[in-house]
Every structure is written in C-alpha cells, then in structure tokens.
Amino acid sequence: MKIKKYDVILGLLIITEIALSVYIGFSAQGDNFICNIGSSCDSVQNSIYGTLFGMKLAWFGAICFSVLLILFLIARFNRKMYWLFFLATIVGALMAIYFISIQAFVLNQYCTSCLIVDGIAVLMFVIVFFEYLDFKREIKRLEKKIEEKIIR
C-alpha cells in the first residue's frame, strides 16, 4: 500500500486529538499548560455543557477520536470503507462547531484547550474533504483509462 500525502497528516492529527483529550481529561479543574491566562477553561469544562452522556467531554472525545483512528486505518486498507471515515469526520466537525458555538454564544467564555481540539477536528474534516475530491479525481482518471483501453 502506497502512503499518500494525507495519510501522515491525518494520522498525526488524530493521534494529537487523542493525546490532547486524554491530557485534558486528566487535568484537574481545567488546570493545564494549554489553557492560557485569561481563558475560562475551568468554567467551560465544568459547565452543564462540559459533559455528554454523563461523561466529561474530554473522555468522550478521547473515545471518539480513538474510534476515528480505527476508522482511518480501516479506510486506508479498504477503500470501500472510506465513506465511513468521511462520515465520521463530518460528524466530528459538526460537533466541534456546536461546541465552539456554545462557548461563543451561550457561555460567553472560551477554553483554549477546547478550542484547539475543536479546531483540529474541523481542520481534519477540511483535509478529508480535499482527500475525497482527490480520490474522486483518481477514480475518474482510472475510469477514463479503462474506457480508452476498451475502445482500442
């Protein structure tokens, strides 16, 4: 299997997301090196929006990004399953935009570490979207080559 330009970037971003989520999960009361002075990490992470299904969002994120890593690996070895990875990045980006919106419009407070995790999730979707476009162009090129060989 040939490693493509997106493979390394996406793999590193997903691993970074897992590591950041675990780090934030272990950080007590939003006290971590990522949260800069003046940000409201503690207030955001301990708000009513800081949990999902009774679980701290950081741990939920670590689980979701771990699943995303598995889907990423599956998509690399089985291109027919790529749609599942693509769908997961769409859901992740939508959730990230939702959480950024909560900070901006509901809480009126920002958590630096949360914004970094959410920003990377959106960035991953953008990269996967461009990868998808490249993938479609590659398929069209292959179809054209096959068509040309059939015609000859």
Side-chain angles (χ1 to χ4, degrees):
M1 180 178 88
K2 180 180 165 189
I3 296 177
K4 300 200 177 197
K5 61 184 173 184
Y6 299 107
D7 292 347
V8 174
I9 295 168
L10 285 170
L12 288 174
L13 286 175
I14 295 168
I15 291 169
T16 300
E17 290 282 62
I18 294 168
L20 284 173
S21 295
V22 169
Y23 177 75
I24 294 166
F26 278 121
S27 296
Q29 303 298 317
D31 180 28
N32 64 58
F33 75 93
I34 300 171
C35 287
N36 58 6
I37 297 171
S39 69
S40 304
C41 291
D42 186 38
S43 299
V44 171
Q45 291 177 22
N46 293 315
S47 72
I48 60 169
Y49 300 100
T51 59
L52 189 61
F53 306 120
M55 182 186 317
K56 190 174 176 182
L57 270 180
W59 294 118
F60 183 77
I63 292 167
C64 289
F65 292 123
S66 296
V67 169
L68 186 65
L69 180 62
I70 292 167
L71 293 174
F72 169 75
L73 294 172
I74 290 171
R76 295 305 175 244
F77 290 104
N78 183 353
R79 294 303 269 180
K80 291 179 183 177
M81 297 301 292
Y82 182 82
W83 67 271
L84 196 55
F85 173 65
F86 184 67
L87 180 64
T89 61
I90 292 171
V91 171
L94 290 174
M95 289 181 73
I97 291 167
Y98 169 75
F99 292 130
I100 291 169
S101 299
I102 291 294
Q103 291 180 67
F105 303 116
V106 177
L107 298 174
N108 294 320
Q109 297 177 326
Y110 297 95
C111 168
T112 308
S113 56
C114 302
L115 290 174
I116 291 170
V117 169
D118 293 336
I120 292 173
V122 172
L123 175 64
M124 282 191 304
F125 165 72
V126 170
I127 292 170
V128 169
F129 179 75
F130 283 110
E131 179 185 43
Y132 172 74
L133 294 178
D134 284 353
F135 184 57
K136 282 187 72 168
R137 280 191 290 267
E138 184 180 321
I139 288 173
K140 286 192 186 261
R141 277 193 299 263
L142 290 173
E143 287 174 345
K144 190 173 182 179
K145 282 183 182 179
I146 291 169
E147 189 176 289
E148 288 173 356
K149 287 187 179 189
I150 290 174
I151 293 174
R152 290 183 188 176

